[in-house]
Amino acid sequence: MNLEQEKNKDVIKMAWAKLEQRVRIIKQGGGKASLKELNQKGKFSARQRINQLVDNPDEVFEIGVLAAENMYEQYGGCPSAGVVVVISKISGKRCVIVANDATVKAGAWFPMTAKKNLRAQEIAIENKIPIIYLVDSAGIFLPLQDQIFADKENFGRIFRNNAKMSSMGIVQIAAVMGSCVAGGAYLPIMSDEAIIVEKTGSIFLAGSYLVKAAIGEDVDNEFLGGANTHSGISGVTDYKVKDDQAALEKIKSLVEKIGHPSIAGFQRTAPKLPTGDPDMIYKILPKVSTQPYDSHKLLGQLVDKESMDEYKKEYGQTLITTYAKIDGWSVGIIANQRKVVKSKSGEMQFGGVIYGDAADKATRFIANCNQRNIPLVFIQDVTGFMVGSKAEHGGIIKDGAKMVNAVANSVVPKFTIIVGNSFGAGNYAMCGRAYDPRLMLAWPTAKIAVMGGSQAANVLLQIEKSTAKKNGVNFDEKKEIDLQKQINEDYENKTDILYAASQLWVDGVIDPAETRSWISMGIDMANHAPIIEKFNMGLLQV
C-alpha cells in the first residue's frame, strides 16, 4: 500500500463528503416542515416532480445545486437559488428540466434564480434539446427587484430566450403546478404548450389583492386565473389536468411524440472501463495543490482502456494533447501536465504552467479536432502562462493568444473539468466559463482565482503597507502578520470551489469517480445539435 496515495485519497474523499453533507441539507429546500405543508396541499415538491417525470431518477445530472449558497442570508437564504435544474431523459429523450422550489420563499425569483434559469436555457439552446418548465412561483422577490429586473442578463432575458427557442424549433413545454404571477406568467405562455393543474395552478399578471387596489374589482384568484378560466375562457393554457401526477404524465406523453432530430454524428464505440483500481482516481492528486504529479496517470483513470493516441508527445510537454475515448465517445483531451518536464532544449519546465511550445501544440490540436468533428475535453490544473524575460522574448503572448483564439473559435462541443488550480489566463486558455464549454465541472479540490493565494496575499499586503505608509501609519511585525493572515483567509474563501459554485461559475462540483458519466452524458446531449459553422482562426492562423 502506498501511504502517500492513501493520504491523497483521504483528503479528496473528505472534501467530497463535506460537500455531500451540505448538498443533502440544500435539497431539503425550505425545510422538512415546508415540504410537509406542500404535500398536504396535494402538491409534490420540485425534486419529487422531477423524480416522477424522468425515466430513471438515478440518471439525473443536476446543474447548480450549490447556486446562491451563503448568499441572501439577510432574507433567510435561498437554497439552490430556489430552482432545481437537471438534465435527464423523459420518454427516452434527453431534456433540460427546470422546477421552481415553492418551499423557498414561495418559489420567488432572486437574482441567482434568474441566472440559473438562463443557464438552463443556454444548455437547451446549445444542444438543441427540449426544455421542460415545472412552474410554481410567486414571481420576482421584490426586495431585490433592482438586481433582477432591468439588465440584459436579468429576468426579461428569459422571455426573449423563450421566443428565440421557439423560432429555432427547440421544444418548450410548461406545466403550471402552482402560482404563476406577474412577469413570470409569460414564461409558460411563451412556451410551445402549457399545462395547468386544477385548483393548485393559477396564472395572472396581478393577483386579487393587486386587482382590488388597482381597479377596485373584487375577484378571487381561482376565477381570475385558475385552471377553468384559462382552459375554457381565455384559452391561455392547452391542457387542464387534475393533479401533479396527471401533469407529469401529460408531459411524458407529449415528449414521447417529439420526432428524432438530426445528430452531430460524434463517433462512439462500445465503452471500455479504465485499467486498474477504480479508487486510484482519488489517489493521484497530491494533498497539497502545489506539489507535482504525472497527469498521464490521471488521464488513465478517465479514458477507456488503451484508447489514447498522444499528439506531439515529446513537444510542449506542459500540456498533454491526446485523442482518446471516454465511455466509448471519441474525444480530444487537453490536460495540464503537473510534473516537472524537460523542454526540447533540455531546459526544465514547471508543471501546471503553459509555455509557448505547449500553447502552440494545443492550438494545432484544437484545429485537428475541429476538422475531424471530435469533441474537446479540457482537464484544468493550471497556474497560468510562463512569465519572465525569456518567455516574453520567445513570444509567449503571441502563442497564448493563438491558443485562446482557437478555443474561442472552436465549433465542436467543449467540456471543462477543473481538478485542481484554475488561475489567471490559464483559466481562459483551458476553456474557462467565458469560452462557452457545454458543461463546466469541478472536483472538490478545485480552486479558481486570478493567482495563487500566497502570491495574491503578498501583493495585497504590499498595497496595504504602501497605503498605510502614505497615511503615516507604521506597521509593526505583529500587525503585518495579523493582516497577512486575514488577507489569506479572505482570499482562500473566495478561491474555494464552494464560492465558485455558489456564483454558478461552474455547473456542478462532482465526485471524481463520476467524471466519465458526466462527460458521456454531455457528449450524448451535444450530439443532438448538428454543427453548421466552420472552424476559422481568423487573423491568428495556426
Side-chain angles (χ1 to χ4, degrees):
M1 180 186 292
N2 186 315
L3 186 59
E4 198 61 37
Q5 286 183 347
E6 290 301 316
K7 287 180 180 178
N8 294 342
K9 175 184 169 183
D10 288 345
V11 168
I12 196 167
K13 283 270 194 179
M14 193 176 299
W16 176 243
K18 189 176 176 182
L19 272 173
E20 270 195 313
Q21 184 179 18
R22 197 171 195 123
V23 167
R24 279 194 292 272
I25 296 169
I26 288 169
K27 286 185 175 181
Q28 292 178 8
K32 292 181 179 179
S34 297
L35 288 169
K36 184 178 179 181
E37 184 182 343
L38 197 72
N39 292 155
Q40 286 173 344
K41 293 177 180 176
K43 296 165 68 175
F44 295 149
S45 70
R47 295 180 188 280
Q48 287 170 335
R49 287 167 175 164
I50 289 169
N51 287 339
Q52 291 285 328
L53 180 60
V54 301
D55 294 347
N56 185 351
D58 293 328
E59 292 182 5
V60 168
F61 296 85
E62 184 163 353
I63 301 297
V65 68
L66 292 163
E69 189 65 1
N70 295 328
M71 297 171 68
Y72 313 123
E73 291 182 342
Q74 67 270 43
Y75 304 108
C78 187
S80 212
V83 64
V84 184
V85 174
V86 306
I87 303 164
S88 193
K89 285 187 176 180
I90 302 171
S91 300
K93 294 182 174 66
R94 185 75 65 187
C95 298
V96 178
I97 306 168
V98 181
N100 298 115
D101 188 345
T103 70
V104 179
K105 297 291 187 294
W109 290 62
F110 285 69
M112 284 301 298
T113 316
K115 186 173 183 179
K116 191 169 173 180
N117 272 265
L118 288 168
R119 177 64 185 135
Q121 290 181 322
E122 183 179 41
I123 291 170
I125 291 168
E126 287 180 330
N127 299 289
K128 305 292 188 291
I129 59 175
I131 184 166
I132 313 299
Y133 306 103
L134 307 180
V135 183
D136 195 345
S137 171
I140 287 176
F141 187 65
L142 289 177
L144 297 174
Q145 64 84 25
D146 61 310
Q147 298 177 36
I148 189 173
F149 170 64
D151 211 347
K152 180 179 177 181
E153 297 299 328
N154 284 171
F155 195 61
R157 187 76 171 183
I158 292 163
F159 313 134
R160 175 262 188 197
N161 287 352
N162 286 142
K164 289 288 187 181
M165 282 191 278
S166 286
S167 72
M168 295 174 188
I170 298 169
V171 175
Q172 301 172 83
I173 299 171
V176 180
M177 309 174 86
S179 297
C180 185
V181 181
Y186 288 106
L187 186 147
I189 310 314
M190 292 191 73
S191 299
D192 302 305
E193 292 184 290
I195 301 159
I196 189 167
V197 178
E198 290 184 271
K199 297 180 181 177
T200 57
S202 59
I203 308 170
F204 35 68
L205 294 181
S208 55
Y209 292 129
L210 187 53
V211 168
K212 174 68 173 175
I215 64 172
E217 181 184 1
D218 284 308
V219 61
D220 64 69
N221 283 339
E222 183 63 28
F223 183 74
L224 184 66
N228 290 328
T229 294
H230 286 311
S231 295
I233 300 173
S234 71
V236 163
T237 54
D238 306 301
Y239 307 94
K240 180 178 72 172
V241 295
K242 65 178 181 178
D243 55 23
D244 277 15
Q245 187 64 50
L248 300 173
E249 294 300 327
K250 179 61 72 177
I251 293 169
K252 291 179 189 179
S253 181
L254 293 172
V255 171
E256 183 188 22
K257 295 174 179 66
I258 298 172
H260 290 281
S262 301
I263 61 170
F266 303 129
Q267 174 66 10
R268 192 179 196 188
T269 56
K272 294 180 181 179
L273 290 174
T275 55
D277 175 15
D279 252 12
M280 183 56 70
I281 198 165
Y282 300 106
K283 299 177 181 179
I284 297 165
L285 261 68
K287 58 183 182 293
V288 179
S289 65
T290 54
Q291 292 179 345
Y293 62 90
D294 187 353
S295 299
H296 285 100
K297 293 180 180 178
L298 186 64
L299 295 185
Q301 300 304 307
L302 294 177
V303 305
D304 290 13
K305 180 180 178 181
E306 297 175 348
S307 69
M308 285 177 59
D309 296 299
E310 188 168 350
Y311 175 77
K312 290 184 180 290
K313 183 176 182 178
E314 290 79 24
Y315 179 73
Q317 293 182 61
T318 60
L319 282 177
I320 299 169
T321 51
T322 183
Y323 304 106
K325 291 189 175 183
I326 294 178
D327 199 33
W329 293 103
S330 296
V331 296
I333 298 174
I334 301 174
N336 299 109
Q337 172 59 286
R338 282 305 310 268
K339 73 175 184 179
V340 177
V341 297
K342 279 187 178 181
S343 71
K344 58 181 182 279
S345 63
E347 179 190 5
M348 301 308 290
Q349 295 184 337
F350 298 106
V353 179
I354 301 175
Y355 286 74
D357 54 358
D360 175 66
K361 175 174 76 169
T363 301
R364 293 171 182 271
F365 183 70
I366 291 167
N368 287 355
C369 289
N370 275 269
Q371 180 194 47
R372 300 167 196 189
N373 201 30
I374 300 174
L376 286 161
V377 177
F378 293 81
I379 307 294
Q380 283 198 18
D381 192 349
V382 59
T383 52
F385 283 90
M386 189 58 189
V387 297
S389 60
K390 187 171 184 179
E392 297 292 358
H393 295 173
I396 186 66
I397 293 176
K398 172 174 57 69
D399 293 327
K402 283 186 177 182
M403 183 178 173
V404 170
N405 193 301
V407 172
N409 284 301
S410 179
V411 297
V412 295
K414 301 172 295 225
F415 302 89
T416 302
I417 315 293
I418 307 174
V419 301
N421 301 313
S422 180
F423 294 162
N427 171 280
Y428 305 151
M430 291 295 291
C431 197
R433 178 64 105 192
Y435 292 81
D436 299 321
R438 296 291 176 95
L439 290 171
M440 183 150 180
L441 305 163
W443 286 9
T445 42
K447 291 182 182 295
I448 302 177
V450 170
M451 64 179 73
S454 59
Q455 299 97 318
N458 285 331
V459 171
L460 292 169
L461 179 63
Q462 293 307 314
I463 293 170
E464 290 285 347
K465 287 173 70 175
S466 177
T467 303
K469 186 176 180 180
K470 284 180 183 178
N471 295 331
V473 178
N474 291 322
F475 257 67
D476 58 32
E477 187 176 349
K478 182 179 182 307
K479 190 171 183 180
E480 184 171 331
I481 291 170
D482 289 345
L483 181 59
Q484 183 150 26
K485 182 181 177 183
Q486 180 189 334
I487 291 171
N488 266 318
E489 286 177 358
D490 290 346
Y491 197 85
E492 286 300 318
N493 286 337
K494 292 288 177 69
T495 61
D496 187 88
I497 197 58
L498 177 60
Y499 182 82
S502 74
Q503 303 292 322
L504 268 182
W505 296 347
V506 296
D507 293 312
V509 183
I510 63 171
D511 182 342
E514 295 178 355
T515 306
R516 280 170 52 86
S517 298
W518 272 92
I519 294 171
S520 178
M521 179 278 293
I523 299 174
D524 175 72
M525 176 176 68
N527 203 30
H528 291 72
I531 296 170
I532 56 175
E533 298 175 89
K534 296 292 184 183
F535 175 69
N536 190 330
M537 279 282 289
L539 293 174
L540 294 175
Q541 295 299 322
V542 176

